[in-house]
Amino acid sequence: MSEQQNPAPGDPQSSGAVPLTPLLAEDPPKVGDFWLDARLVVAPSGIAFAGHDEANTPVMLILLSEGASNDAAARDRLAGVVNELHIDTVVARGGHGQDEGRLGGKYRHEDDDPVDPDDAPLAPWVALAYDGSPAAIAEASRILDDVQLARLPLQGTPAGPDYRLHWIDRTGPGVARLWPLPWPGRGDRAGWVSILASWLLMLLLAALAILIAILIFQQSPQQSPPPPVPPTGSPPPQSASPSPQSGSPSPQSGSPSPQSGSPSPQSGSPSPQSGSPSASRSAGGSPTPNSRL
């Protein structure tokens, strides 16, 4: 008889633990309101992730692949499977074509996210309650197989080429939108402590920049302001205001001076030589001292 080997301690099969696979670069960090932590099940129709919400509640999120999310029949099959689940099992659902049916109230809209008109519709997804047991993994595999028609019983006698879904090779994750954007380098949204620290750092840098600017301007020499520029079309101040040289009367030009306009003893005032009575008498024959001489 061959001796039966017992599983080694720490083996996932002995402890019932579920092996986790790290996320790939093509996997979205967040779907809806749930952050993704690791991969659980991978199938051509989609991927099952281990994730959590803002309250750190663990969930198992099933996201259809790129090929299955573009097939209307595959989207309808996922919606039908989800509507048959227990209401306590389904935490939330979202994506294209998942807002109808018995559990349509679990649908979470993302209408407040900025959407470009050319963006493709979001891939269908469903978040289920997750306890880390192999039964949860088996449930995820069953849902993905139903979408892929992998468990569909054979109908009639096979003839001709095998049936193959046209999207079976497009196994990448479907379209997911990340909004609001997470903190750089982190897998979840930044907390209020990080946001407060960033604001305090920004205020400190702004105050330091203002202080440096004040010190620089204090060291610069003060300069007198330039003269005001006259408006266009107005005469310059030199031509409009009277100056002593041009418009104002000066003693040399407009004011009467003793040489020109005022009577002087030489021109307008009677003098003994021209306009005085003594001169007239001398002209009439009366003797004057000058005539005697």
Side-chain angles (χ1 to χ4, degrees):
M1 292 180 62
S2 61
E3 184 178 359
Q4 185 178 2
Q5 296 181 356
N6 295 327
D11 190 4
Q13 296 181 357
S14 62
S15 59
V18 176
L20 302 177
T21 304
L23 297 176
L24 302 181
E26 61 183 6
D27 295 333
K30 183 182 180 183
V31 176
D33 296 331
F34 303 95
W35 296 93
L36 305 183
D37 300 327
R39 285 188 169 199
L40 295 175
V41 179
V42 179
S45 57
I47 306 172
F49 298 94
H52 66 280
D53 58 3
E54 297 293 340
N56 290 327
T57 304
V59 296
M60 180 177 62
L61 191 139
I62 300 175
L63 177 67
L64 290 190
S65 63
E66 181 183 1
S69 61
N70 292 329
D71 186 8
R75 297 194 300 265
D76 293 341
R77 285 193 292 269
L78 176 64
V81 173
V82 172
N83 288 326
E84 293 176 356
L85 298 176
H86 195 275
I87 189 173
D88 294 335
T89 304
V90 180
V91 178
R93 60 192 298 189
H96 184 44
Q98 303 299 309
D99 55 347
E100 297 179 355
R102 185 175 67 90
L103 298 181
K106 297 285 187 175
Y107 184 83
R108 295 192 180 181
H109 296 271
E110 299 183 29
D111 299 335
D112 56 342
D113 296 349
V115 181
D116 190 90
D118 297 332
D119 289 346
L122 297 179
W125 58 270
V126 58
L128 306 177
Y130 180 59
D131 55 359
S133 63
I137 304 300
E139 182 69 6
S141 299
R142 182 188 70 82
I143 294 175
L144 293 176
D145 288 343
D146 289 346
V147 175
Q148 186 184 343
L149 300 177
R151 301 185 182 186
L152 185 68
L154 185 63
Q155 302 292 330
T157 303
D162 295 338
Y163 174 76
R164 189 170 183 269
L165 294 171
H166 62 90
W167 47 262
I168 201 68
D169 295 330
R170 302 171 62 185
T171 59
V175 178
R177 185 181 301 116
L178 182 60
W179 186 264
L181 298 178
W183 190 261
R186 295 184 51 161
D188 55 354
R189 188 182 300 179
W192 67 271
V193 177
S194 301
I195 296 177
L196 179 61
S198 63
W199 275 104
L200 292 177
L201 181 60
M202 291 175 59
L203 293 177
L204 179 61
L205 294 177
L208 182 60
I210 294 175
L211 179 60
I212 293 175
I214 293 175
L215 294 177
I216 291 176
F217 282 106
Q218 284 182 350
Q219 298 296 331
S220 61
Q222 296 184 358
Q223 298 178 359
S224 60
V229 178
T232 305
S234 61
Q238 292 77 7
S239 61
S241 60
S243 61
Q245 291 78 8
S246 61
S248 61
S250 61
Q252 292 79 7
S253 61
S255 61
S257 61
Q259 292 79 5
S260 61
S262 62
S264 60
Q266 292 78 7
S267 61
S269 62
S271 61
Q273 293 79 7
S274 61
S276 63
S278 61
S280 61
R281 286 195 299 267
S282 64
S286 61
T288 59
N290 294 332
S291 62
R292 293 193 191 101
L293 292 175

